[in-house]
């Protein structure tokens, strides 16, 4: 699908493959061992990489020479330490990188370094951003999304603004003004022409991306809205709040169709998806409103502050499952109609089979940093954490892909369009990565 706006203008500068300053995010003494519970064919080829990640710090792209250290840690084993050194550039402008004993440097390009630890049979590719947008916001960027055509981005910031910008070059197109206090979440409708946002003012708003007008404001929550979801094409939308409720709204009549769940605890994240046909989603106590469109057969996931991940039949409003995690759940997503992912404050990513949630299929743990966002991507997923790490797991890759340069700043949200990945970070930068060469 073509972009809506201007063509690509070229790549931006790259400040480092492996981070600039090191710190806790790359400290081998702070990397905690992983836990793996069971297996599932969906992830067998690649999940072995996650409990033993390679980490590195320092910049190897911003100068002719430099050194970064590495660590490879496996549960129950001694950590392996090493380093990689840049010795300049080759004749075609590619960094000349060598590794110390125990590590092997594989393919090196202007944007990536593949490093392996043969002793643990693990590899990680560190990928630098293709472009970094530093002028969209002046402070921490808390959320972002990319339109269905890939041409527009929308983002929110602690500088009090929400903006629409061109995804190719970061040029500001619209300023969306109307929320009071911070805007916590934003997303495009499937059309790419309308934006949904929720803020600490407990208001849910719908905006025109074309003229920045606020066309609908929903009121009803008693606390700040923390996340949203869109049902099918968007005649109905969902929101969750610090007040502990998840609500379903009718966009056409600007009204609340009901409270889907009242959890008694803040709901930090939500996701809606089609449930496996074998799953009993319950029956509604009364016939649903004719204004409900596309809720049948859907399940709503709720990531709760009280350490619970909840599944609810969207049309029935009936509980489907309740899973207890290790800490507060921050985010959740559907991988398919059968498998879901949810991330916790203490760094665990749980994979569950919705047909049997008594025990997780597996638990992925790279560090103790909060898991802040999860995004399905092709035949895998993207995860970002509070220590600046952002990684991609794909079934067809025999390595984990680490998206670099955030250093120790939390990566709050990830969005994708085709083979382009966008991240937003506490450092106020939107980064765009290109996976076309992988």
């Amino acid at each position: 699908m073509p972009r809506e706006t201007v063509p690509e203008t070229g790549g931006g500068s790259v400040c480092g493959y492996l981070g600039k300053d090191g710190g806790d995010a790359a400290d081998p003494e702070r990397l905690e061992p992983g836990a793996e519970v069971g297996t599932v064919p969906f992830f067998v080829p690649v999940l072995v990489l996650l409990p033993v990640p390679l980490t590195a710090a320092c910049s190897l792209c911003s100068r002719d020479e430099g050194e970064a250290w590495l660590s490879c840690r496996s549960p129950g084993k001694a950590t392996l330490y090493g380093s990689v050194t840049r010795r300049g550039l080759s004749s075609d402008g590619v960094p000349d990188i060598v590794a110390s004993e125990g590590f092997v440097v594989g393919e090196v390009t202007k944007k990536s370094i593949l490093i392996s630890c043969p002793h643990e049979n693990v590899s990680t590719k560190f990928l630098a951003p293709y472009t970094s947008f530093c002028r969209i916001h002046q402070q921490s960027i808390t959320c972002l999304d990319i339109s269905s055509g890939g041409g527009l981005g929308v983002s929110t910031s602690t500088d009090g603004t929400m903006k629409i910008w061109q995804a190719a070059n970061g040029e500001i197109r619209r300023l969306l003004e109307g929320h009071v206090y911070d805007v916590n979440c934003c997303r495009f409708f499937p059309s790419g022409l309308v934006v949904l946002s929720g803020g600490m003012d407990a208001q849910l708003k719908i905006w025109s991306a074309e003229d920045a007008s606020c066309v609908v404001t929903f009121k009803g929550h008693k606390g700040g809205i923390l996340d949203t979801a869109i049902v099918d094409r968007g005649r109905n939308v969902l929101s969750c709040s610090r007040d502990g409720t998840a609500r379903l709204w009718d966009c056409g009549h600007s009204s609340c169709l009901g409270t889907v769940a009242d959890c008694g605890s803040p709901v930090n994240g939500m996701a809606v998806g089609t449930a496996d046909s074998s799953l009993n989603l319950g029956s509604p106590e009364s016939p649903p409103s004719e204004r409900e469109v596309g809720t049948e057969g859907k399940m709503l996931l709720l990531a709760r502050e009280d350490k619970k991940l909840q599944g609810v039949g969207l049309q029935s409003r009936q509980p489907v499952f309740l899973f207890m995690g290790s800490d507060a759940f921050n985010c959740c997503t559907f991988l398919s109609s059968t498998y879901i992912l949810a991330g916790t404050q203490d760094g665990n990513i749980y994979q569950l089979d919705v047909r049997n949630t008594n025990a997780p299929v597996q638990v992925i743990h790279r560090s103790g940093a909060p898991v802040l966002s999860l995004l399905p991507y092709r035949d895998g997923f993207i995860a970002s954490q509070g220590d600046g790490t952002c990684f991609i797991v794909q079934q067809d890759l025999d390595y984990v892909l680490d998206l670099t340069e955030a250093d120790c700043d939390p990566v709050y949200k990830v969005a994708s369009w085709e083979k382009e990945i966008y991240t937003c970070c506490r450092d106020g930068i939107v980064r765009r990565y290109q996976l076309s060469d992988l």
Side-chain angles (χ1 to χ4, degrees):
M1 185 178 295
R3 292 180 176 275
E4 295 100 314
T5 51
V6 300
E8 181 59 66
T9 56
S13 62
V14 177
C15 300
Y17 289 101
L18 309 174
K20 297 193 292 291
D21 304 314
D24 293 348
D27 186 344
E29 297 302 329
R30 297 179 67 104
L31 291 176
E32 300 179 14
E36 190 168 344
V37 183
T39 58
V40 61
F42 184 81
F43 286 128
V44 163
V46 293
L47 266 186
V48 67
L49 305 184
L50 287 177
V52 285
L54 292 167
T55 63
C58 185
S59 170
L60 295 184
C61 289
S62 59
R63 51 184 180 270
D64 291 338
E65 297 182 356
E67 185 176 29
W69 49 263
L70 297 164
S71 68
C72 183
R73 185 173 183 179
S74 180
K77 298 181 181 180
T79 301
L80 302 178
Y81 299 103
S83 64
V84 289
T85 303
R86 171 171 169 162
R87 303 184 299 188
L89 296 175
S90 65
S91 58
D92 56 358
V94 175
D96 179 17
I97 307 289
V98 296
S100 61
E101 184 178 358
F103 297 91
V104 176
V105 175
E107 180 187 17
V108 178
T109 72
K110 295 180 180 180
K111 295 289 190 295
S112 66
I113 304 173
L114 178 63
I115 302 176
S116 302
C117 180
H119 182 73
E120 296 293 347
N121 191 30
V122 57
S123 300
T124 297
K125 177 171 282 191
F126 298 95
L127 182 67
Y130 181 77
T131 312
S132 295
F133 304 137
C134 305
R135 298 181 179 179
I136 297 175
H137 293 284
Q138 302 303 310
Q139 296 180 24
S140 174
I141 303 173
T142 53
C143 191
L144 90 166
D145 194 23
I146 302 299
S147 65
S148 55
L152 296 175
V154 61
S155 54
T156 64
S157 170
T158 56
D159 64 13
T161 67
M162 177 166 52
K163 297 179 180 180
I164 294 175
W165 36 273
Q166 292 187 186
N169 58 16
E171 180 182 341
I172 307 300
R173 291 285 301 277
R174 297 286 184 267
L175 177 63
L176 307 181
E177 297 180 293
H179 277 288
V180 182
Y181 310 121
D182 290 345
V183 184
N184 294 324
C185 46
C186 59
R187 67 172 69 240
F188 280 100
F189 277 70
S191 67
L193 302 175
V194 184
V195 171
L196 178 67
S197 67
M200 287 305 293
D201 56 7
Q203 296 185 80
L204 187 69
K205 290 179 176 288
I206 296 177
W207 311 79
S208 167
E210 297 179 309
D211 62 12
S213 62
C214 178
V215 295
V216 175
T217 297
F218 299 108
K219 296 182 180 180
H221 281 294
K222 305 302 182 184
I225 295 172
L226 301 178
D227 200 6
T228 63
I230 296 174
V231 183
D232 291 346
R233 298 299 299 174
R235 288 182 61 180
N236 294 161
V237 298
L238 292 148
S239 59
C240 61
S241 167
R242 293 184 60 85
D243 66 13
T245 67
R247 297 173 183 255
L248 180 69
W249 308 86
D250 170 28
C251 297
H253 284 184
S254 306
S255 61
C256 181
L257 294 172
T259 299
V260 181
D262 191 345
C263 303
S265 173
V267 182
N268 297 320
M270 68 191 320
V272 64
T274 300
D276 185 89
S277 58
S278 65
L279 200 63
N280 181 9
L281 297 179
S283 300
E285 295 180 354
S286 58
S289 166
E290 63 179 15
R291 303 297 301 178
E292 281 196 30
V293 180
T295 58
E296 185 178 4
K298 300 290 198 311
M299 184 167 66
L300 181 65
L301 300 179
L302 301 174
R304 296 168 39 166
E305 183 71 19
D306 60 2
K307 304 183 181 181
K308 295 174 183 176
L309 178 71
Q310 184 174 0
V312 181
L314 182 53
Q315 187 177 86
S316 70
R317 320 288 203 258
Q318 301 297 317
V320 177
F321 72 84
L322 193 64
F323 176 79
M324 178 66 74
S326 56
D327 205 343
F329 280 97
N330 292 328
C331 52
C332 53
T333 192
F334 283 83
L335 292 175
S336 67
S337 62
T338 303
Y339 295 111
I340 59 176
L341 289 180
T344 61
Q345 185 69 14
D346 61 356
N348 285 329
I349 299 175
Y350 291 90
Q351 184 189 1
L352 300 176
D353 185 329
V354 296
R355 298 166 298 184
N356 181 4
T357 58
N358 292 329
V361 175
Q362 55 194 350
V363 182
I364 303 161
H365 186 98
R366 297 195 79 188
S367 75
V371 180
L372 301 178
S373 72
L374 292 166
L375 179 71
Y377 187 72
R378 299 185 180 274
D379 57 359
F381 67 92
I382 309 173
S384 71
Q385 294 187 258
D387 59 1
T389 59
C390 186
F391 61 93
I392 303 176
V393 175
Q394 283 188 242
Q395 188 175 1
D396 60 352
L397 296 180
D398 57 2
Y399 52 81
V400 170
L401 185 62
D402 270 30
L403 308 182
T404 68
E405 278 201 26
D407 297 316
C408 301
D409 286 304
V411 178
Y412 291 118
K413 199 73 173 181
V414 181
S416 68
W417 181 76
E418 295 190 346
K419 291 188 176 183
E420 296 181 355
I421 308 296
Y422 295 77
T423 66
C424 66
C425 186
R426 186 176 64 185
D427 62 11
I429 298 174
V430 172
R431 294 179 173 88
R432 176 160 63 100
Y433 302 83
Q434 289 194 334
L435 277 59
S436 55
D437 297 331
L438 298 179

